[in-house]
Amino acid sequence: MLALSLAALAWWTWGASHVRAKSAPLSPPSEVADAAAPTPSAARGASSNPRVRVDGLGDPNLHLLTTLRRAVAERGPDDLVVAEMNVEGLNACLIVRDIPADDFRRKSPRHAWAIDYVERACVDFAVQGTKVGEIPALRDFRTLRKADPDAATAQALDILRESGSRTQIRAALNHLSDVKRYPLEVDPSLDPMERMFASEYAMIPVVCGATNDCGSTALAAATLCMSDGCLPGTTYEQALRRRLSPREYESAIRMRASLLALRAGQR
């Protein structure tokens, strides 16, 4: 039940267990693009409230159990970022566990490095800390939405201005969308799923610092590259960019600019 409940909350990790209907099926290595698409660099000073950095999920010698235990010791079991690290680790470990021994990806240079990285990271993996749904900060916000929607709206805007937590920011955006106070610029023609993918890309400069999980040795990047195929050294942003349609990407860039402006007090 723990695995299922955490995996249900792991859509933001974009693993192979989350495949869009419009996504192309896995292709042999010869059909995979030669390089990750270029992406704009993250804006400086993206977070107005930097979180304490844990060595996190970007260590090239990542061992998840050790890393998560250290994160719990440094931040506490009820910290949202710790919960997010748990979910991302679980998602990656479930995906790599289900790749058969004779799968072509295990011999493909564009996939095998990522599979090897994730398998080594997942040795002895065990979830540490509190389940995402039981984290007080998230539970209290859900309660506030029901008791006082106006107060929840004000808190949601504060979250967007200050938080470095993926979970909090998504909860805030969902609430603001429900009450029609969505503050980010978005293409109105995007359907909810497309907007979700665009918003994930838009949030990268804000949410990557806390868990050190967006560089070329990031667990997030390796998780995508296990299924998509990427050159070694591909960053999370580059890997994610390749999954966006042109329309989603253009909307994501506008959303990112408006989010960073909001956090800088410019709107």
Side-chain angles (χ1 to χ4, degrees):
M1 288 300 295
L2 173 60
L4 291 174
S5 62
L6 284 172
L9 290 161
W11 57 263
W12 61 84
T13 61
W14 293 63
S17 61
H18 184 94
V19 180
R20 295 194 282 181
K22 66 181 181 181
S23 297
L26 288 174
S27 303
S30 61
E31 297 178 16
V32 180
D34 283 338
T39 57
S41 59
R44 292 183 180 179
S47 175
S48 60
N49 184 25
R51 305 294 299 273
V52 176
R53 177 164 164 160
V54 176
D55 195 19
L57 303 179
D59 186 337
N61 299 308
L62 176 66
H63 181 259
L64 274 167
L65 183 59
T66 301
T67 299
L68 290 171
R69 283 178 173 169
R70 184 172 62 244
V72 170
E74 292 182 10
R75 305 178 70 107
D78 289 344
D79 186 84
L80 273 168
V81 173
V82 173
E84 290 160 4
M85 292 170 70
N86 275 317
V87 171
E88 188 164 336
L90 176 61
N91 191 53
C93 294
L94 290 176
I95 290 169
V96 77
R97 183 196 67 184
D98 291 338
I99 298 177
D102 59 352
D103 193 292
F104 80 86
R105 288 171 290 177
R106 292 190 176 274
K107 296 183 179 180
S108 162
R110 298 178 185 276
H111 301 80
W113 68 268
I115 293 171
D116 178 66
Y117 175 86
V118 176
E119 284 185 328
R120 285 187 285 108
C122 289
V123 173
D124 300 323
F125 173 78
V127 170
Q128 305 290 301
T130 308
K131 297 178 186 178
V132 173
E134 297 173 355
I135 299 296
L138 186 61
R139 186 185 63 232
D140 293 347
F141 181 70
R142 290 200 305 259
T143 301
L144 185 61
R145 284 189 63 179
K146 296 178 181 178
D148 190 341
D150 291 338
T153 296
Q155 184 171 327
L157 290 169
D158 286 342
I159 287 170
L160 293 190
R161 294 186 184 102
E162 300 175 2
S163 179
S165 162
R166 282 183 172 96
T167 307
Q168 278 191 315
I169 291 174
R170 287 193 188 89
L173 287 176
N174 287 338
H175 171 74
L176 293 169
S177 176
D178 291 344
V179 299
K180 304 189 184 326
R181 288 282 305 277
Y182 199 81
L184 307 187
E185 295 181 22
V186 61
D187 183 344
S189 68
L190 294 182
D191 63 34
M193 187 69 73
E194 290 173 324
R195 187 173 71 177
M196 182 186 75
F197 292 137
S199 67
E200 175 68 17
Y201 190 84
M203 287 189 287
I204 286 176
V206 172
V207 302
C208 280
T211 57
N212 185 22
D213 191 30
C214 289
S216 60
T217 58
L219 180 65
T223 303
L224 290 185
C225 292
M226 284 194 297
S227 52
D228 290 6
C230 311
L231 289 173
T234 297
T235 67
Y236 176 61
E237 183 163 359
Q238 290 170 331
L240 192 55
R241 166 69 179 93
R242 297 173 66 195
R243 288 198 169 191
L244 298 180
S245 69
R247 190 172 57 141
E248 289 168 340
Y249 175 69
E250 291 171 5
S251 182
I253 293 303
R254 292 196 297 273
M255 292 169 72
R256 178 179 293 188
S258 57
L259 175 61
L260 295 179
L262 180 69
R263 294 176 73 86
Q266 297 171 358
R267 53 177 298 169

